[in-house]
Amino acid sequence: MTKTVYTFGGGASHSDPRATDKTITGGKGANLAEMAGIGLPVPPGFTITTEECVRYLREGSDFSDQLRADVAAALTHIERAVGKSFGDAADPLLVSVRSGARVSMPGMMDTVLNLGLNDATVEGLAATSADERFAWDSYRRFIQMYSDVVLGLDHGLFEEALEVAKEENGYFADTEMSAADWKALVTEYKGIVQQELGTPFPQDVNEQLWGAISAVFDSWDSDRAKVYRRLNDIPGDWGTAVNVQAMVFGNMGDTSATGVAFTRDPATGEKAYYGEYLVNAQGEDVVAGIRTPQYLTRAAREAAGATAPSMEEAMPDAYRELADVFELLEKHYRDMQDIEFTVQQGKLWMLQTRSGKRTAKAALKMAADMVAEGLIDERTAVLRVDPMALDQLLHPTLDPDAARDVLTKGLPASPGAASGRVVLDADTAEQWAGRGEKVILVRVETSPEDIHGMHAAQGVLTARGGMTSHAAVVARGMGRPCVSGASAVSIDAKTRSLRIGARELKEGDTLTLDGSTGEVMAGEVPTIEPELAGDFATLMEWADAHRRMKVRTNAETPADCRMARQFGAEGIGLCRTEHMFFDAGRISAVREMILADSEAGRRKALAKLLPEQRSDFVEIFSTMAGLPCTIRLLDPPLHEFLPNEDAEFADLADVTGYGVDHLRRRAAELHEFNPMLGHRGCRLGITYPEIYEMQARAIFEAACEVAESSGEAVVPEVMIPLVGTKRELEILRKLVDDTAQTVFAEKGRTLEYMVGTMIELPRAALMAGEIAEEARFFSFGTNDLTQTTLGVSRDDSARFLAVYVEKGIYQRDPFVSLDVEGVGQLVDLAVERGRATRPDLKLGICGEHGGDPSSIAFCEKVGLDYVSASPYRVPIARLAAAQASLRAE
Ligand code: PEP
Ligand code: MG
């Protein structure tokens, strides 16, 4: 029989590998067992497996008999370890109940503390702790949390009652409440429960426990957990574990405290302990951002100019013990740890450890430092950095020379620069962002309900909360710049305005945040382009040493090409020549070509375009200095180039000499119902060969010119789009070859070149064996291949795709991450059939998937030679390709 529950601490055995397997006991449970196993002070407890959560949700919220029996036995383990009994009126055991999924989902799931208190046990707690005030405060906290999390009551009701009680007594802070005040509030809280539910607050401690367990299980399917999973690609069928643990109290007076800490700075990666603590407080007070916490170390306190003593100064013994634990944990896990701890009357207890979330900058620094310290090797360093996180470093930062109108300074909670219009709530953030606005979400503090707004925003600003508040943790995880705890900010929700010091702003005004310094600035501050240097460059070198596939870029302007080369691109995988047609100086010649009635008319217009295209290619070949360049001939349907507006038609009439009526008629003739499946791709080249002929001529003339002037070998790869049959490619390859020969004869020199095709239709994949007879290379155009295989439009699917992903019909947006199961089969098969015909067939991918890490892993598996990604994704692709190689070893 597989175990449903694993005990830890208090003398439990930790030898069963399932107990420390995150897939079974969740991240929190596995690490608690592991910490207890290496002898750290962990309050005894037990973990209910994720498997039980999945079973419970599948079987309609029912607990198995085995689970009930195993939980009862595990409770006895805790009772024996702490020498107290659950529900004992004289000396009660209290427990915490927390969720803990396989990966951490900060703030997404529910927690209940102080469970086991009722009208009888509260008296026992008062007697054993000799602190009546503490006992009744704990009881009211429990009722408040339990009612919110388990009974589904609005926590506002309880907060309001507390506010009223304080007001009536003339108190300002919670700390002024006496034992009698808390006791009276408990009566009131119980009244609220009775009134709202028609039943009393549960007094049976076992009922309380099972209620909390089911609430944690149910929280796996809560809306906020689902949103978090969708944003972070976490499968819905993992489930969460439940951790039940003997309570330790950080709120037992001034020798007690609670805190969170990182073994290194999660924002910068600096090797310095980093964290916050609160004296006489309970765990959730720190994370919730209600009280502003104090610094952990004296150095951090001094750097911040704060006066409240650091833990190092206020509790030197407990601090020293904690620092020893930090060292031990880093050595054990060989990674930076994110820790929760409590000091109960001077005694340190560890409540959690996990690999800490970090910014990309910190991830790179830690990886490089840990290699230097001998803690990890280069391979581990390469595998440790999340490729997508690099995105944070590949975006502009504030120009240090630009003028800044600094309104205030908060905590530098998540680095990066962000400008946008102020919005005051998450829904507005999402709405405005949905219509293409850049927004900055400004809140007093954020809670898990704000997650969608934080995601939609460019950056987040909060008035309250420390560096480990919800806003800070979530923003860092998402890579959103965040300034937290900017106490000069006050928000007026009624007038939808905010005041920052003496300045008044309205919703919609523009702000700039610098999440690396904490500065909040009025207006938009100019930015500068990122650079690949320092730790970033070092890690990239290590990655390149382990990478098999080449990384190219999708680029068509010299500026993009230069950027991509700086980021390490090893060639161009896709140059979409149509982008060059949209240039303001050229569009009228393009339109003239499209609107011509005859080949002669088209050739006349094409002759105007030839020198323009040639100079584009000269620039590109020169910029790429001998690296391979794949140039794709014209792909989109011609009507895309035609005017829409009256004024544009009038302009075009002026330029071409055609009447407006004629132009409109021509435009109407070109209209298509399904342009994506219409007159586009190689079909243009088949029907209007003069277009491809001009483009091929421009390519070869440019290649000859650059070869001549630079002396470098230029090897153009001419790519034909949307091929579905061998015959299409045969006709067009001949056209390109003939043009090449003509140009070479004219120039008196020859060049090496290749003609190949995109594989972006299912038929092309199926017929790859035949098509490879005509093609020297294949480049998988997985944008179109996804569209045509799934029968889902690239342009019209936004309306239903989100629902499809939410319902798990697609695991991820198939245009972002390759549908490996379906579309992947076609790629795999085309690779196999193509190579069977032509063993040296060059194979690459140039759809958007070429910059997506999981798709890149697939490309490694099927043996492509290269991936091609947009310039900003090149470093991501380099790292992802290296990781794919390493994992394949
Ligand atoms: C593709 O279809 O994957 C591709 C790269 O071409 P485009 O996006 O230009 O259609
Ligand atoms: Mg395409």
Side-chain angles (χ1 to χ4, degrees):
M1 218 162 30
T2 34
K3 283 172 103 168
T4 64
V5 170
Y6 289 87
T7 51
F8 56 80
S13 153
H14 305 98
S15 57
D16 186 334
R18 274 170 52 94
T20 48
D21 178 349
K22 289 186 171 63
T23 65
I24 306 296
T25 49
K28 190 184 288 249
N31 287 333
L32 282 168
E34 209 157 317
M35 278 199 292
I38 57 175
L40 294 182
V42 172
F46 62 85
T47 306
I48 304 175
T49 64
T50 55
E51 296 162 336
E52 281 306 298
C53 172
V54 172
R55 179 174 307 143
Y56 166 93
L57 293 172
R58 194 182 54 221
E59 288 175 6
S61 310
D62 213 7
F63 299 115
S64 66
D65 290 341
Q66 194 200 335
L67 179 65
R68 288 185 184 278
D70 289 350
V71 165
L75 251 183
T76 311
H77 160 74
I78 307 183
E79 290 176 331
R80 214 173 286 139
V82 299
K84 295 172 189 283
S85 297
F86 194 48
D88 179 1
D91 188 8
L93 165 70
L94 303 189
V95 296
S96 64
V97 180
R98 298 173 203 258
S99 61
R102 202 185 294 190
V103 295
S104 88
M105 297 166 66
M108 286 304 100
M109 310 267 281
D110 290 321
T111 292
V112 181
L113 301 180
N114 305 316
L115 190 140
L117 280 172
N118 59 24
D119 294 351
T121 57
V122 68
E123 303 284 4
L125 182 65
T128 54
S129 65
D131 189 344
E132 208 184 355
R133 183 183 180 282
F134 155 76
W136 286 96
D137 179 20
S138 301
Y139 193 18
R140 71 92 197 172
R141 282 173 188 263
F142 170 54
I143 299 177
Q144 197 167 337
M145 251 185 177
Y146 193 91
S147 300
D148 173 20
V149 171
V150 182
L151 304 179
L153 297 180
D154 178 4
H155 57 94
L157 294 171
F158 298 91
E159 272 155 30
E160 215 174 285
L162 171 58
E163 283 313 308
V164 170
K166 284 198 300 197
E167 223 163 84
E168 279 172 358
N169 287 307
Y171 299 156
F172 177 73
D174 291 7
T175 43
E176 293 170 73
M177 295 280 284
S178 67
D181 295 332
W182 287 130
K183 198 168 178 174
L185 194 65
V186 162
T187 308
E188 203 158 325
Y189 277 6
K190 286 194 294 184
I192 294 173
V193 174
Q194 176 73 43
Q195 191 176 348
E196 293 293 313
L197 297 178
T199 50
F201 185 80
Q203 292 291 313
D204 177 339
V205 294
N206 282 303
E207 183 188 338
Q208 291 174 357
L209 178 62
W210 287 102
I213 292 170
S214 53
V216 172
F217 280 166
D218 289 334
S219 73
W220 178 254
D221 271 344
S222 67
D223 288 342
R224 65 191 202 209
K226 281 185 187 161
V227 170
Y228 189 90
R229 286 207 291 274
R230 195 173 67 231
L231 295 177
N232 292 281
D233 290 320
I234 298 171
D237 59 6
W238 281 1
T240 177
V242 184
N243 299 292
V244 178
Q245 199 172 10
M247 281 294 300
V248 285
F249 298 95
N251 55 338
M252 275 192 152
D254 288 344
T255 54
S256 300
T258 184
V260 294
F262 294 86
T263 52
R264 301 183 190 216
D265 187 324
T268 63
E270 225 54 60
K271 190 166 165 40
Y273 304 142
Y274 174 93
E276 295 165 334
Y277 83 114
L278 275 174
V279 177
N280 197 10
Q282 203 153 48
E284 307 314 286
D285 300 346
V286 183
V287 203
I290 295 164
R291 277 167 60 188
T292 298
Q294 290 155 236
Y295 290 91
L296 204 66
T297 64
R298 180 176 169 173
R301 177 187 68 73
E302 284 173 352
T307 48
S310 65
M311 182 175 174
E312 189 176 2
E313 294 156 301
M315 300 183 162
D317 292 342
Y319 174 80
R320 219 164 299 123
E321 198 184 337
L322 185 63
D324 289 344
V325 170
F326 289 165
E327 295 301 315
L328 201 75
L329 285 176
E330 265 215 0
K331 286 220 174 63
H332 181 76
Y333 288 101
R334 295 171 189 278
D335 197 4
M336 183 267 272
Q337 295 297 297
D338 165 358
I339 287 157
E340 287 181 18
F341 64 91
T342 282
V343 179
Q344 177 175 318
Q345 296 179 325
K347 162 115 184 82
L348 176 72
W349 291 99
M350 302 305 298
L351 300 185
Q352 171 170 304
T353 191
R354 61 187 176 199
S355 284
K357 285 193 191 294
R358 61 204 75 180
T359 64
K361 185 174 167 223
L364 292 170
K365 176 156 178 52
M366 288 177 200
D369 285 355
M370 286 182 192
V371 170
E373 291 160 27
L375 206 56
I376 58 174
D377 61 12
E378 287 178 14
R379 293 165 53 103
T380 311
V382 169
L383 285 167
R384 183 159 290 171
V385 177
D386 172 11
M388 285 310 287
L390 299 180
D391 199 37
Q392 290 169 33
L393 302 176
L394 295 170
H395 288 289
T397 48
L398 290 183
D399 181 350
D401 296 329
R404 298 176 181 206
D405 176 7
V406 179
L407 300 175
T408 186
K409 207 167 163 189
L411 299 171
S414 177
S419 294
R421 300 177 67 195
V422 168
V423 288
L424 298 178
D425 65 77
D427 289 343
T428 311
E430 198 172 54
Q431 271 162 22
W432 290 24
R435 54 179 206 235
E437 302 256 19
K438 291 183 166 179
V439 298
I440 301 285
L441 179 63
V442 184
R443 303 283 289 157
V444 175
E445 62 206 4
T446 63
S447 74
E449 279 81 20
D450 291 321
I451 217 100
H452 60 294
M454 297 177 72
H455 193 254
Q458 304 294 311
V460 181
L461 169 63
T462 70
R464 276 200 239 153
M467 298 288 281
T468 47
S469 62
H470 176 266
V473 171
V474 173
R476 278 199 293 274
M478 278 183 185
R480 291 289 176 282
C482 174
V483 174
S484 70
S487 51
V489 174
S490 68
I491 298 173
D492 186 341
K494 274 202 204 91
T495 60
R496 302 211 66 88
S497 63
L498 69 155
R499 193 169 261 293
I500 304 182
R503 300 271 283 274
E504 179 109 33
L505 283 103
K506 292 242 161 295
E507 191 162 50
D509 289 349
T510 301
L511 271 186
T512 296
L513 305 180
D514 187 340
S516 315
T517 61
E519 282 177 328
V520 180
M521 290 145 281
E524 187 168 342
V525 178
T527 52
I528 50 168
E529 289 301 331
E531 236 186 319
L532 206 158
D535 297 326
F536 194 173
T538 306
L539 191 93
M540 281 295 137
E541 267 170 40
W542 293 340
D544 289 349
H546 293 285
R547 171 161 64 84
R548 181 191 62 81
M549 285 191 294
K550 296 268 183 209
V551 175
R552 298 195 189 185
T553 190
N554 292 359
E556 36 276 327
T557 67
D560 279 357
C561 292
R562 268 191 296 276
M563 170 82 70
R565 282 203 58 190
Q566 274 172 23
F567 286 158
E570 298 164 297
I572 294 181
L574 174 63
C575 169
R576 292 176 164 108
T577 52
E578 56 270 17
H579 289 196
M580 300 159 160
F581 278 35
F582 279 109
D583 192 280
R586 303 174 191 178
I587 187 76
S588 55
V590 174
R591 286 172 174 165
E592 187 185 329
M593 183 266 292
I594 296 169
L595 295 163
D597 299 320
S598 63
E599 183 185 326
R602 273 190 300 277
R603 282 194 183 275
K604 191 165 141 263
L606 285 166
K608 294 185 198 167
L609 289 169
L610 174 66
E612 305 272 2
Q613 280 255 283
R614 187 175 50 225
S615 72
D616 290 336
F617 296 140
V618 165
E619 275 207 80
I620 286 181
F621 291 142
S622 313
T623 310
M624 297 311 287
L627 294 174
C629 296
T630 306
I631 314 266
R632 181 179 72 186
L633 304 185
L634 194 66
D635 180 48
L638 296 180
H639 79 96
E640 280 193 11
F641 299 97
L642 290 181
N644 294 305
E645 311 288 330
D646 288 349
E648 288 180 301
F649 273 110
D651 280 352
L652 189 59
D654 279 350
V655 177
T656 59
Y658 289 114
V660 167
D661 286 348
H662 171 86
L663 294 175
R664 285 194 179 283
R665 201 167 48 244
R666 238 348 240 155
E669 279 167 17
L670 286 168
H671 171 80
E672 294 180 318
F673 285 105
N674 279 318
M676 273 295 182
L677 300 177
H679 195 184
R680 61 168 286 214
C682 67
R683 297 157 200 172
L684 295 171
I686 297 285
T687 49
Y688 301 134
E690 53 280 5
I691 300 179
Y692 277 16
E693 189 190 313
M694 179 280 285
Q695 292 196 291
R697 177 172 271 281
I699 293 169
F700 292 119
E701 287 183 357
C704 287
E705 195 180 317
V706 174
E708 180 86 44
S709 61
S710 71
E712 301 233 40
V714 178
V715 186
E717 299 174 357
V718 181
M719 182 154 76
I720 313 293
L722 216 75
V723 161
T725 70
K726 176 185 166 188
R727 183 67 186 138
E728 285 167 324
L729 192 57
E730 201 172 20
I731 294 170
L732 294 171
R733 191 178 68 112
K734 180 162 185 324
L735 177 84
V736 174
D737 283 343
D738 289 350
T739 308
Q741 293 316 316
T742 310
V743 173
F744 295 159
E746 287 167 12
K747 301 279 176 195
R749 68 178 302 150
T750 58
L751 281 176
E752 210 193 307
Y753 69 94
M754 285 192 221
V755 181
T757 183
M758 300 194 66
I759 300 290
E760 44 186 351
L761 294 176
R763 190 180 198 283
L766 295 168
M767 301 304 290
E770 250 190 25
I771 290 175
E773 289 168 20
E774 292 295 325
R776 294 273 303 280
F777 65 87
F778 285 173
S779 178
F780 289 93
T782 44
N783 302 333
D784 274 308
L785 190 58
T786 298
Q787 161 168 270
T788 49
T789 303
L790 272 59
V792 169
S793 162
R794 295 163 68 163
D795 302 318
D796 300 313
S797 50
R799 248 168 263 162
F800 60 85
L801 263 187
V803 178
Y804 264 57
V805 172
E806 200 163 297
K807 292 194 187 292
I809 298 170
Y810 296 146
Q811 282 297 317
R812 291 185 62 187
D813 179 338
F815 291 106
V816 173
S817 191
L818 192 74
D819 161 33
V820 167
E821 262 187 342
V823 177
Q825 281 193 49
L826 286 171
V827 174
D828 201 3
L829 178 148
V831 166
E832 192 185 312
R833 292 184 184 176
R835 281 226 172 104
T837 301
R838 190 188 286 273
D840 67 346
L841 186 71
K842 206 182 223 190
L843 295 165
I845 181 173
C846 63
E848 286 310 297
H849 306 97
D852 169 64
S854 62
S855 312
I856 292 171
F858 170 78
C859 295
E860 169 70 32
K861 212 171 104 218
V862 296
L864 298 195
D865 297 307
Y866 69 86
V867 298
S868 188
S870 59
Y872 283 109
R873 288 237 166 182
V874 166
I876 297 174
R878 283 165 71 192
L879 182 55
Q883 293 184 348
S885 292
L886 284 171
R887 291 195 177 113
E889 275 174 13

